[in-house]
């Protein structure tokens, strides 16, 4: 699979971390939605944690929750561990490939996935839905963030250009339609809850377990 290069290398105290510049721009807005969507406490599994900067920020902003980061990439796992060192409410990162059926976690109160669906094959989205439905407790939310298409709604020119660049890197990538994502969620047993407009032409989608 082609490398989307979403981050740069950052040095901190001799340990190599990854830094994704977009996290600094969107983390506060995402956290604001999470504070409304999540129950007051519980275990939040993040799928495709990437550099680990998001989960480190959310864990500090929402200390009443336990956070379980994950990623399929070993370099990302090391970066996550570095960013989250010393945070008492962040568990050691897990190696999870969303597309695979076996996740090394049995239950969670919420599942969070940021900026994965458009830079992965559709099988990863289907696996995400199946996995979330399998491990979420009743009424637990699956929260998605990223750029999407919507039927009957014009796509922002910047998102159109982004979609073209993604498909040039890997034809299995690209912006997904909200309607297709919702169909996949419902087929897995998750119910659509809400769509929230976010800055920079992004959306947050919330689904809930039955």
């Amino acid at each position: 699979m082609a490398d989307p290069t979403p981050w740069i290398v950052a040095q901190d105290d001799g340990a190599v971390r990854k830094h994704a510049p977009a996290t600094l721009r969107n983390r506060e807005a995402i956290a604001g939605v999470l504070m409304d969507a999540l129950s007051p406490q519980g275990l939040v599994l993040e799928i495709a944690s990437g550099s680990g900067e998001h989960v480190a920020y959310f864990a500090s902003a929402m200390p009443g929750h336990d956070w379980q980061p994950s990623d399929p990439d070993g370099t990302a796992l090391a970066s996550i561990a570095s960013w989250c060192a010393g945070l008492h409410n962040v568990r050691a990162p897990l190696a999870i490939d969303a597309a695979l059926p076996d996740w090394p976690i049995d239950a969670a109160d919420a599942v969070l996935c940021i900026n994965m669906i458009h830079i992965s094959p559709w099988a990863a989205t289907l696996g995400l839905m199946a996995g979330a439905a399998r491990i979420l407790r009743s009424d637990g939310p699956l929260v998605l963030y990223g750029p999407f298409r919507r039927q009957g709604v014009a796509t922002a020119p910047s998102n159109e250009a982004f979609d073209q660049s993604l498909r040039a890197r890997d034809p299995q990538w690209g912006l997904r339609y909200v309607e297709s994502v919702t169909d996949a969620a419902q087929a897995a047993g998750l119910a659509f809850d809400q769509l929230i407009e976010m800055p920079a032409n992004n959306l947050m989608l919330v689904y809930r377990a039955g």
Side-chain angles (χ1 to χ4, degrees), residues 150-171:
R150 282 184 282 177
Q151 293 179 2
V153 178
T155 304
S158 59
N159 278 356
E160 288 284 8
F162 185 41
D163 179 67
Q164 293 177 15
S165 70
L166 289 172
R167 295 181 186 279
R169 295 175 187 176
D170 190 320

Side-chain angles (χ1 to χ4, degrees), residues 48 50 52 54 67 77 140 172 180 192 201 205:
H54 272 137
W67 298 84
L77 295 175
Q172 296 187 86
S180 298
F192 176 78
N201 301 307
L205 307 177

Side-chain angles (χ1 to χ4, degrees), residues 10-64:
Q11 291 282 348
D12 184 81
D13 296 331
V16 175
R17 297 177 173 182
K18 302 297 185 182
H19 168 55
T23 60
L24 298 179
R25 298 191 294 269
N26 61 32
R27 64 187 186 179
E28 292 184 11
I30 295 173
V33 173
L34 290 178
M35 289 176 184
D36 290 333
L38 302 181
S39 58
Q41 59 186 7
L43 175 62
V44 182
L45 168 65
E46 185 183 25
I47 294 294
S49 297
S51 67
E53 294 167 277
H54 272 137
V55 71
Y57 179 81
F58 300 149
S60 296
M62 290 170 271

